[in-house]
Amino acid sequence: MERIEPESALTIRYAMVTHLPDGTDKPRTEETVSFIYKVERQVPTLESALNGRSVGERFTVHVPADELYGERDPDLIREIPNEGLIRQRLRKGQYYRQIKRSCLVSFKVLELRSDAVLADFNKPMAGITVTLEVEIVAIRRAGKDEIAAALEAEHKKSIGCG
């Protein structure tokens, strides 16, 4: 098999740099992974970039936040009164968590004010983007048993069992 097509068993090597919303970058060590293309789902940008490529090809992929943990929403940054909050848990730059009325209240403390807190209710990973430097190491036709096992594993993941 010369080119990647659906149900190809792939091995890729990649180096990843995570771009945080505060402008800092976090490089990770290079990794090698194997999966069955279009069966074991990857982020859409990577899947699109892989289609039709050959062994030895190298390319760069920029994965947007909406394919990972979602975009940061500035409307989720709010000033809230500190009445009812546990003062000892309020630390600038830290996450505050408290059960109130049987619900978990969780936010990042951006600023402490005299009678209020500037709180960020975005998910901790929201706004993160990634750059991948990818090399295609191997391509082969996947066997029927491999495809069936991968489909079952993906189904279990989709229903929260794996």
Side-chain angles (χ1 to χ4, degrees):
M1 176 172 280
E2 293 182 23
R3 297 211 172 271
I4 297 172
E5 57 189 52
E7 300 183 349
S8 298
L10 298 183
T11 301
I12 64 170
R13 183 177 306 122
Y14 68 93
M16 180 168 74
V17 177
T18 303
H19 310 288
L20 303 175
D22 67 5
T24 59
D25 293 339
K26 286 193 173 189
R28 292 184 48 187
T29 56
E30 188 175 87
E31 292 187 40
T32 301
V33 296
S34 298
F35 58 93
I36 299 176
Y37 180 64
K38 292 290 187 179
V39 174
E40 295 172 287
R41 295 294 179 168
Q42 308 301 312
V43 293
T45 301
L46 177 60
E47 280 202 350
S48 294
L50 287 166
N51 191 43
R53 294 193 182 262
S54 303
V55 170
E57 282 191 58
R58 294 173 184 256
F59 58 94
T60 301
V61 175
H62 302 286
V63 183
D66 64 343
E67 289 184 22
L68 299 169
Y69 304 101
E71 299 285 350
R72 289 189 57 73
D73 183 349
D75 290 338
L76 293 178
I77 298 174
R78 299 187 177 146
E79 183 177 273
I80 60 172
N82 58 18
E83 180 182 322
L85 300 177
I86 301 168
R87 279 202 168 300
Q88 299 88 323
R89 293 186 189 170
L90 292 171
R91 292 191 183 97
K92 184 176 178 179
Q94 299 294 313
Y95 282 88
Y96 178 92
R97 290 177 181 84
Q98 178 182 350
I99 302 288
K100 292 188 89 154
R101 297 188 190 120
S102 301
C103 292
L104 175 65
V105 175
S106 177
F107 57 86
K108 185 174 184 178
V109 177
L110 298 179
E111 190 178 313
L112 294 168
R113 298 177 180 164
S114 60
D115 60 347
V117 175
L118 186 60
D120 183 351
F121 289 94
N122 281 287
K123 292 178 183 175
M125 304 290 275
I128 289 175
T129 62
V130 166
T131 299
L132 300 170
E133 297 290 335
V134 181
E135 177 185 7
I136 300 168
V137 177
I139 306 169
R140 66 176 175 76
R141 190 165 312 283
K144 290 183 194 271
D145 291 344
E146 288 177 291
I147 294 168
L151 283 168
E152 183 176 334
E154 285 296 300
H155 176 70
K156 284 182 180 179
K157 275 193 239 176
S158 73
I159 60 172
C161 297

